[in-house]
Amino acid sequence: MKILAIRGRNLASLEGDFEIDFTAEPLLSAGIFAISGPTGAGKSTLLDAMCLALFARTPRTDQAKENNVKLQDVSNEQLSQSDPRFLLRRGTASGYAEVDFVALNGHRYRARWSVSRARDKENGRLQNPRLALYNLDKAEEEQGTRSELQARIIDLIGLTFEQFTRSVLLAQNDFSTFLKAEQGEKASLLEKLTGTELYSAISRQIFEKNARAKEAFDAIQLRIQSVELLTDEEESNLRLRLAATEKELQRQEKAKAEQQTLQEAVRAAEQSIAARQVQQKEAADRLARATELLAIARREYEKGVEEQQASEARFKSLQQEILQARKLDIQLDTALRDRSDSEQRLKDTTARKKEAEDKYQAAVLRRKQGAEEIARLTAWRERFKDKESIAEQLSALLLHLDAAAAARLGMETGNRSIAAIQKDAVGLGKQLTGLQQTAVSKQQALQQTEEEYRKQEERLKAIDVPALDKQIEQLRREREQLLIEQARLEASGDIKELRAKLQEGQPCPVCGSTHHPFVASPDTPPAPSREGKEIVPVAAMTLQLQALSQKKEAYTVGTRELARLQQQLLRLHKELADSEAACKEIVSKQQLVASRHEQEQATVKEQAAKLVQSLSAADVLFGNSDWKKAWQQNPDTFRKTLTDFARQWHENTDKLRLLERQESAQKAECESLASFLPSLGKQYEEALLLNEKNRSVFTTLQAERAKLLNSRPADAVEQEYSRRMEELKERLKKLLATQIEQSGIAEQTRGIADQITKDLAEASADLARRREALDKWTADYLASSDGWQLQDTLPRITQEKTELAFRLRTQTDNKAKVSGLQEELNVRRIESERWAKLNELAGSADGAKFRRIAQGYTLDVLLSYANVQLRELTRRYRLERVPETLALQVIDRDMCDEVRTVHSLSGGESFLVSLALALGLSSLSSNRMKVESLFIDEGFGSLDADTLRVAMDALESLRTQGRKIGVISHVQEMTERIPVRICVNRAGNGRSYLEVL
């Protein structure tokens, strides 16, 4: 991946918009460039912007390990000190960070991180940051949630945040992280850089395939062991026994067939005799039944003839009675019609008479009720006659009462407002007093703090910090030089002893040479001992250095105290100004309250005058002032009472007039109904007499008719006789036919019975012969089979044959099965052994074994690149991999190739080795990812002049490799040697701006 541009706005000290375009000159053609500027100007903020846009994180905020510590934002919101939103510059409402880069797929993308405050106000609440991703080649925005877009960016550049800060961005205080990282972190980074995740998948597949191959081999072996086989001798004996058994079974089956034939013949004869006997019994039963039915048919026929003759005689005797019944039926129909007519007439006359009586009673009742209501309404008007004027003048009266109620309500509201205003005035007076006291105390604290600030500032001005730093640095170099000299003198004695032990022709334990020229030369004069003279100066310099460091620490503490006092002064000035503004605000509120009080008093006075005027006008309409007491208690209830009374007065007046008009009409109605009632009574009596006469005639005729034919209709009697005669004739005809039929059936059944008796005698003789033949065969078989019954012998032999055949068939199947499984077992054994060898070499459940092998080779390649760079930086050290691990160790050539841990290196040494590793990572690429950008933030200050020059030479040599390296440093020599620079310049008030030179 490659960084093309970095942009941003309002991040930390970089106010407004800024941009670094690596695709424009002079940065386009620069292989290395410097980012320089004063401390705190915002150099590292550029790298923070790059990390924010790509990962929404920065190395500096991630170093805030105490995430439970909360810091206060301008909107009084508590945020974690590791929240990257703190990078938004104070006093601004929004900001963003943006990076253009070339992804692994070759396309250009733009990642953007932005944050803003609520309502776009500078003191608004910080909103959640927004992440956006654009494909510049396709001119479209990638869609997705924040987490999805973050994962997409990681996929595009091929690095997580931690891996990015190991290989692309080496941030402050994090330069040697890859050098001293744990093996797991190194493995993850190497896997991303080289694509070794493929080896993990291969290792897991080898492990899984080995397990499956071994499981398949064991399963087949277990199946073979579970198959049971007979020996050849056992199989031969089984076959001989099976042949003998089959032969004996054939003989027994032949005997069984002979026996079954004889038994079937006996059973057939027995079944024939049984069938004949059943037929003989059935024929006898049918003959008896036919004889019995013939006798019954004869008796029924004779009885039917007698019934026919009796029915004819009875009908002849009823002829005279039928004629009389027909005559009476005609008379009854006439009497019934007359009775129905008279009953309907009586019913109609009764209904008209009752209707007239009901109307008369209702008219009398209405007239009575009307008279009573007239009397009640007249009495009510007389009782309230003195209040008639109220009902007639209600509209004018209500107008005055409503005006009085409104004036009264206005007075009450005004009095409540006056009370509330007086309460507010008292509260404002108390607040003003408290604020004035607070302002006095703040003024005193401000004067005291200003005095402390002045004294602290004078104390700090008395300390010359640059001279102090120079003095400390000089003492430190002199002390280190003395220590080195002392160590060299102490080591010279050991070197002399080693030289004395050397022998010509024997290898030197240090260099391995067999020629020792110093052995033959005269002894080297011993170096003068300075031990006694140097212990004291080194100790004195150490004490002096500690004193100067303490003085520097005191200056640092004083500076922090001065900054604290300055913040306290700003806070006190602000609080004092706030108190004075609050006092002015309260004074203005008191003036406003006094004005409102005067206005409310004037309103109350005006409403009181209106109330008196309205009540006086109402007194004139009422004619007295007795009503005021009830009105004052509840004006609304009093008004409703007046309205209800006026409504009732008018309603009763209208109702009384209506009733007086209805009274004369009701009187005429009663007289008319009373004159119509006598004629209706006479009509009712005539209808009643006629109805009684017709009922008497109908009853007499009905009694005479009941004596004839048992009240049955004449036509029904004649029809019943005719039907009965037809039934008797039909019955006699059927009985005669039955008699003839049963006579024929009896003769036929008698002949069948005689033939069955003859056949039964012949079948009995045949059965005796067949039984004799079966008994003879059974006796012969028992004699030849030693007394065994055929039904016992045959199942025993059959079962024996079945068992022997099954055992032989099972033996054949098992032999075929074992043969097939043995071939499969050989194939599975070869496959299992092959996968077992692969699993032993590279297989593991988690894929780690083969991955470590591949990553070990990758790390070896990386170290070869790093050692090339390290030789350019220093020839003292060489990086190696700890055998069988991904850990690193350092070979110290100046100490006879002593193996040292990377944690034993000093700060400058760690920087050189880490720089070599970083450059090696930049050189290490594959077809999956190529790192073309490297940013280094600080670390060069720990190098001496010669080492710094070597480091610069190594960095400049990378121009020919197509890599772009950015260096942030305060070292003057470094910034002077780099022709292209990005200068971060201060503009005052904590603001900075960028300039590309």
Side-chain angles (χ1 to χ4, degrees), residues 15 74 89-93 117 122:
E15 185 179 33
V74 294
R89 181 175 175 80
R90 293 296 178 96
T92 59
R117 294 187 180 272
E122 297 175 357

Side-chain angles (χ1 to χ4, degrees), residues 308-537:
Q308 185 181 21
Q309 294 173 353
S311 180
E312 289 176 352
R314 189 166 53 253
F315 182 70
K316 288 179 180 180
S317 65
L318 290 176
Q319 289 297 318
Q320 185 63 32
E321 191 174 352
I322 289 173
L323 292 175
Q324 293 176 1
R326 289 185 184 279
K327 183 179 180 179
L328 286 175
D329 286 341
I330 295 171
Q331 294 175 356
L332 276 172
D333 289 340
T334 303
L336 180 61
R337 285 195 298 272
D338 293 341
R339 191 189 70 171
S340 299
D341 293 341
S342 62
E343 286 178 350
Q344 183 63 37
R345 180 182 177 185
L346 178 62
K347 184 177 179 182
D348 294 341
T349 305
T350 303
R352 288 197 303 271
K353 179 176 176 292
K354 186 177 185 307
E355 182 181 1
E357 290 174 348
D358 292 342
K359 288 182 178 180
Y360 177 73
Q361 294 296 331
V364 171
L365 181 61
R366 287 195 299 272
R367 184 181 181 188
K368 181 181 178 182
Q369 291 174 348
E372 291 174 353
E373 185 67 14
I374 290 172
R376 186 185 67 79
L377 293 175
T378 303
W380 185 85
R381 283 176 59 83
E382 289 296 329
R383 186 166 70 251
F384 294 105
K385 188 174 183 180
D386 57 338
K387 297 181 179 180
E388 182 178 0
S389 61
I390 296 176
E392 299 300 334
Q393 303 178 26
L394 179 65
S395 299
L397 189 60
L398 291 178
L399 184 63
H400 294 303
L401 289 178
D402 290 343
R408 178 181 175 182
L409 179 61
M411 289 178 61
E412 293 174 353
T413 304
N415 289 329
R416 287 195 297 271
S417 299
I418 290 172
I421 289 170
Q422 290 174 350
K423 184 178 180 181
D424 292 343
V426 173
L428 289 172
K430 292 181 179 179
Q431 291 182 16
L432 181 60
T433 303
L435 287 172
Q436 288 173 347
Q437 294 175 356
T438 302
V440 172
S441 62
K442 296 292 183 183
Q443 184 65 36
Q444 294 174 355
L446 178 61
Q447 294 174 356
Q448 183 179 356
T449 304
E450 287 177 345
E451 181 62 24
E452 293 179 0
Y453 181 83
R454 184 183 58 79
K455 293 180 179 179
Q456 183 67 23
E457 191 175 23
E458 290 177 355
R459 285 194 293 268
L460 292 177
K461 287 181 178 178
I463 300 175
D464 188 357
V465 177
L468 183 62
D469 290 340
K470 186 175 181 181
Q471 188 177 0
I472 291 173
E473 184 64 25
Q474 183 176 359
L475 278 174
R476 184 180 288 114
R477 286 198 299 268
E478 291 178 358
R479 179 175 174 273
E480 290 177 354
Q481 188 65 31
L482 288 175
L483 289 173
I484 293 172
E485 181 65 21
Q486 182 178 350
R488 187 184 63 79
L489 292 174
E490 290 176 353
S492 62
D494 297 334
I495 294 172
K496 184 177 180 180
E497 293 178 2
L498 290 173
R499 285 176 178 173
K501 295 178 180 180
L502 291 176
Q503 296 181 5
E504 190 67 23
Q506 296 296 325
C508 174
V510 177
C511 64
S513 175
T514 57
H515 179 59
H516 314 296
F518 285 97
V519 174
S521 62
D523 292 340
T524 303
S529 175
R530 299 174 56 184
E531 180 178 358
K533 292 187 287 184
E534 290 185 357
I535 291 178
V536 175

Side-chain angles (χ1 to χ4, degrees), residues 61 90 161 251 261 266 293 334 482 504 732 815 861 931:
T61 55
R90 293 296 178 96
F161 174 76
R251 189 179 70 82
T261 300
V266 172
L293 291 175
T334 303
L482 288 175
E504 190 67 23
L732 288 174
K815 289 171 69 176
V861 176
V931 178

Side-chain angles (χ1 to χ4, degrees), residues 223-224 227 811-822:
R223 288 171 61 189
I224 292 176
V227 177
Q811 172 70 2
T812 303
D813 294 342
N814 288 345
K815 289 171 69 176
K817 185 186 296 183
V818 169
S819 177
L821 289 175
Q822 192 64 44

Side-chain angles (χ1 to χ4, degrees), residues 984-997:
V984 184
N985 302 315
R986 286 180 175 171
N989 296 326
R991 294 182 294 109
S992 301
Y993 64 91
L994 300 182
E995 187 178 9
V996 180
L997 301 177

Side-chain angles (χ1 to χ4, degrees), residues 247-304:
K247 184 177 181 180
E248 179 62 21
L249 181 61
Q250 290 175 358
R251 189 179 70 82
Q252 294 295 332
E253 287 177 347
K254 182 179 179 181
K256 177 66 174 177
E258 294 174 354
Q259 184 187 41
Q260 286 179 348
T261 300
L262 294 173
Q263 289 176 344
E264 288 294 333
V266 172
R267 278 196 296 273
E270 291 175 345
Q271 291 173 357
S272 177
I273 292 174
R276 294 294 180 182
Q277 290 175 346
V278 171
Q279 292 174 358
Q280 186 183 33
K281 185 176 181 303
E282 291 177 350
D285 293 340
R286 285 198 301 272
L287 180 61
R289 180 62 178 167
T291 304
E292 183 181 357
L293 291 175
L294 179 61
I296 292 173
R298 288 173 179 175
R299 289 194 298 270
E300 289 292 330
Y301 181 78
E302 293 173 356
K303 185 178 177 181

Side-chain angles (χ1 to χ4, degrees), residues 29 314 517 535 795 797 897:
S29 57
R314 189 166 53 253
I535 291 178
I797 296 174
D897 288 345

